[in-house]
């Protein structure tokens, strides 16, 4: 990722202030903008601040404060001056921009009669999560994801920011292109939040392999069945499983003979398997590999790989 | 001999001026229709495709009118090159282009400042807001077309009459 891509997240008139931050593109993880609060960034796992001159500093007292009007201008810019096109994303509290960077939003929620969020107003908090494509990130894992030349269904586990999506993206790329352990296969991706492929105008901005089809912006449940019918994939990839509906869709996909590649939030295998909706996955042996990722001291790595019984394959 | 040539030149000049005014009026109607057509396209792309402004500009690089097409081409290229704010690019491009077109000030402003009206949080409301602008331009075009025939006759008569009066006065 280059400096220019980070700068383009901001309106032209304030890009000067973000030039030094953009220079850290490779290590930059998050940019946090909160109205009236210091400009905060997360570089290589370490929290730092941006002063009024655009320099990166360690002391928060020296940091510049974010103005509300400027925050709104940034949001308009991120929405490509077409807020209406991102209404659903804003309602859900995040949007994904060109390059697959995810923008988390918070402000005042407007609720309907059933306490569901119908919109967000006074958006005063932005969390820009910088997407990184790390080609080769999955290299140590790849040998463990094949059995007799066939890809096995795999669940990647890590806390937020632990590198799940980055790892999943590289696994998709490698198994789609083919590796020393197996030939390339057709992979379909339901990219609900445009984070895996980072599609723009329907074209994947990230390299997800030559045999990969992407259904962008579609819910996992609907997207999985649609892709199975339409694209006849040999493997199906989804990001961030979060409920019983996702699990039921995965069961159906598994029943169709698809290999599954998925991620889930969690600190450990035990924690994930304790989740109520994961019961089916365990009972039916939906996943043949559980990969626990860990981010310690700014560098992420593989904490352990387990088989369907939870026995370590690699630790 | 020179007097006859002079009379012919004056008459041709006056008729030519009249024709130029008529052509300007027709050109204004054509612009109004083109702008209305563009707004209609933007409205439908927003309502049914939920496309963003840069995406719509890219689609509009394929419209028939070469002048507008070139404007959208330049906007799209500049936006893609450095991620500049599209509203500023749109305003700058269309203010410069429409300045030389035979349009009324409010018609120029309406089109050049269109991105300022794209702040709606929901596509139906946004499309309706553009629909109102479209209706305004359609009404303007309708009025201009209605009056065009009479205006053409009047301009033609005035230009010939002016030519004759000038000739008589100079003789």
């Amino acid at each position: 990722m280059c400096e220019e891509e980070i700068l383009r997240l901001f309106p032209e008139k304030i890009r000067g202030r973000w030039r030094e931050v953009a220079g850290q593109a490779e290590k930059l993880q998050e940019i946090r903008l909160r109205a009236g609060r210091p400009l905060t960034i997360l570089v290589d796992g370490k929290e730092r601040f941006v002063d009024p001159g655009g320099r990166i500093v360690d002391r928060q007292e020296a940091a510049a404060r974010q103005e509300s009007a400027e925050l709104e201008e940034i949001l308009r810019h991120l929405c490509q001056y077409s807020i209406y096109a991102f209404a659903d994303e804003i309602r859900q509290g995040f949007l994904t921009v060109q390059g697959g960077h995810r923008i988390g939003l918070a402000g005042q929620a407007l609720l309907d009669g059933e306490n569901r969020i119908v919109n967000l107003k006074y958006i005063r908090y932005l969390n820009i999560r910088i997407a990184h494509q790390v080609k080769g990130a999955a290299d140590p894992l790849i040998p463990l994801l094949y059995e007799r030349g066939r890809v096995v269904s795999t669940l990647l586990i890590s806390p937020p920011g632990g590198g799940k999506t980055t790892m999943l993206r590289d696994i998709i790329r490698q198994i789609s292109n083919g590796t020393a352990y197996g030939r390339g296969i057709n992979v379909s991706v339901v990219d609900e939040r445009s984070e895996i492929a980072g599609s723009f105008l329907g074209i994947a901005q990230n390299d997800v392999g030559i045999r990969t089809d992407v259904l962008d912006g579609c819910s996992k449940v609907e997207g999985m069945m649609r892709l199975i019918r339409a694209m006849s994939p040999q493997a199906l990839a989804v990001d961030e499983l979060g409920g019983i509906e996702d699990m039921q869709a995965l069961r159906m996909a598994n029943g169709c003979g698809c290999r599954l590649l998925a991620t889930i939030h969690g600190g450990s295998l035990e924690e994930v398997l304790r989740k109520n909706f994961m019961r089916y996955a365990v009972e039916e042996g939906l996943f043949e590999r559980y990969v626990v990722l860990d981010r310690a001291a700014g560098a992420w790595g593989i904490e352990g790989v387990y088989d369907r019984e939870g026995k370590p394959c690699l630790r | 001999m020179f007097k006859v040539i002079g009379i012919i030149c004056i008459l041709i000049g006056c008729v030519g001026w009249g024709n130029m005014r008529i052509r300007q009026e027709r050109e204004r109607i054509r612009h109004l229709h083109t702008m209305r057509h563009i707004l209609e396209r933007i409205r439908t792309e927003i309502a049914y495709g939920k496309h963003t402004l840069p995406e719509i500009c890219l689609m509009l690089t394929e419209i028939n009118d070469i002048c507008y097409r070139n404007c959208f081409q330049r906007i799209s290229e500049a936006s893609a090159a450095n991620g500049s704010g599209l509203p500023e690019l749109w305003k700058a491009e269309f203010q410069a282009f429409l300045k030389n077109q035979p349009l009324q000030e409010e018609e120029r402003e309406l089109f050049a400042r269109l991105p300022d009206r794209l702040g709606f949080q929901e596509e139906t409301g946004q499309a309706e807001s553009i629909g109102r602008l479209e209706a305004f331009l359609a009404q303007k075009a309708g009025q201009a077309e209605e009056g065009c025939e009479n205006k053409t006759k009047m301009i033609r008569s005035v230009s010939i009459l002016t030519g004759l009066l000038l000739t008589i006065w100079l003789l």
Side-chain angles (χ1 to χ4, degrees), chain A residues 42-115:
Chain A
L42 193 66
V43 186
D44 220 2
K46 197 177 166 203
E47 187 182 66
R48 305 191 74 184
F49 303 93
V50 181
D51 79 359
R55 285 179 296 273
I56 299 172
V57 293
D58 288 323
R59 289 173 45 247
Q60 71 171 69
E61 297 77 30
R65 304 267 155 177
Q66 180 63 56
E67 289 171 22
S68 297
E70 196 180 272
L71 199 68
E72 280 175 18
E73 178 64 20
I74 294 170
L75 181 63
R76 284 189 69 215
H77 180 80
L78 290 167
C79 292
Q80 299 174 60
Y81 302 90
S82 316
I83 303 263
Y84 56 85
F86 293 88
D88 292 336
E89 287 90 338
I90 289 174
R91 196 174 303 130
Q92 289 180 62
F94 68 87
L95 51 101
T96 307
V97 296
Q98 189 176 1
H101 311 298
R102 191 202 278 194
I103 320 293
L105 312 166
Q108 187 179 342
L110 292 176
L111 305 175
D112 65 6
E114 291 164 18
N115 265 0

Side-chain angles (χ1 to χ4, degrees), chain B residues 36-54:
Chain B
R36 192 192 60 75
H37 170 71
I38 290 170
L39 288 185
E40 186 186 7
R41 178 83 189 269
I42 293 174
R43 179 174 56 78
T44 50
E45 294 299 347
I46 287 174
Y48 303 113
K50 227 175 161 183
H51 288 114
T52 61
L53 198 53

Side-chain angles (χ1 to χ4, degrees), chain A residues 4 8 10 12 15 73 76-77 79-88 90 119-120 123 200-201, chain B residues 46 50-56 58 79-87 118 120-123 126:
Chain A
E4 190 59 32
R8 287 173 74 130
F10 298 95
E12 220 165 4
R15 282 182 193 171
E73 178 64 20
R76 284 189 69 215
H77 180 80
C79 292
Q80 299 174 60
Y81 302 90
S82 316
I83 303 263
Y84 56 85
F86 293 88
D88 292 336
I90 289 174
N119 205 355
L120 272 184
I123 296 168
F200 184 68
L201 295 175
Chain B
I46 287 174
K50 227 175 161 183
H51 288 114
T52 61
L53 198 53
E55 288 168 347
I56 293 170
L58 203 61
S79 171
N82 58 5
S84 303
L86 212 117
L118 297 179
F120 281 72
Q121 282 212 354
E122 175 267 336
E123 68 271 18
Q126 185 61 77

Side-chain angles (χ1 to χ4, degrees), chain A residues 4 17 25 30 36 56 68 75 107 110 129 139 145 177 180 198 208 213 222 225 227 277 304 312:
Chain A
E4 190 59 32
R17 183 197 284 171
E30 283 182 4
I56 299 172
S68 297
L75 181 63
L110 292 176
R129 289 179 61 186
D139 285 353
L145 302 188
N177 288 345
V208 284
D213 306 302
E222 195 170 331
M225 291 323 292
L227 280 173
F277 64 85

Side-chain angles (χ1 to χ4, degrees), chain B residues 84-104:
Chain B
S84 303
L86 212 117
E88 285 76 33
L89 290 172
W90 178 296
K91 276 182 218 166
E93 192 63 49
F94 281 109
Q95 269 167 355
F97 168 62
L98 295 175
K99 192 172 71 182
N100 304 318
Q101 307 308 324
L103 288 163
Q104 291 174 0

Side-chain angles (χ1 to χ4, degrees), chain B residues 2 24 40 58 68 72 84 87 92 119 133 152 155:
Chain B
F2 285 120
Q24 277 184 345
E40 186 186 7
L58 203 61
Y68 287 89
F72 286 116
S84 303
L133 302 181
T152 304
I155 292 171

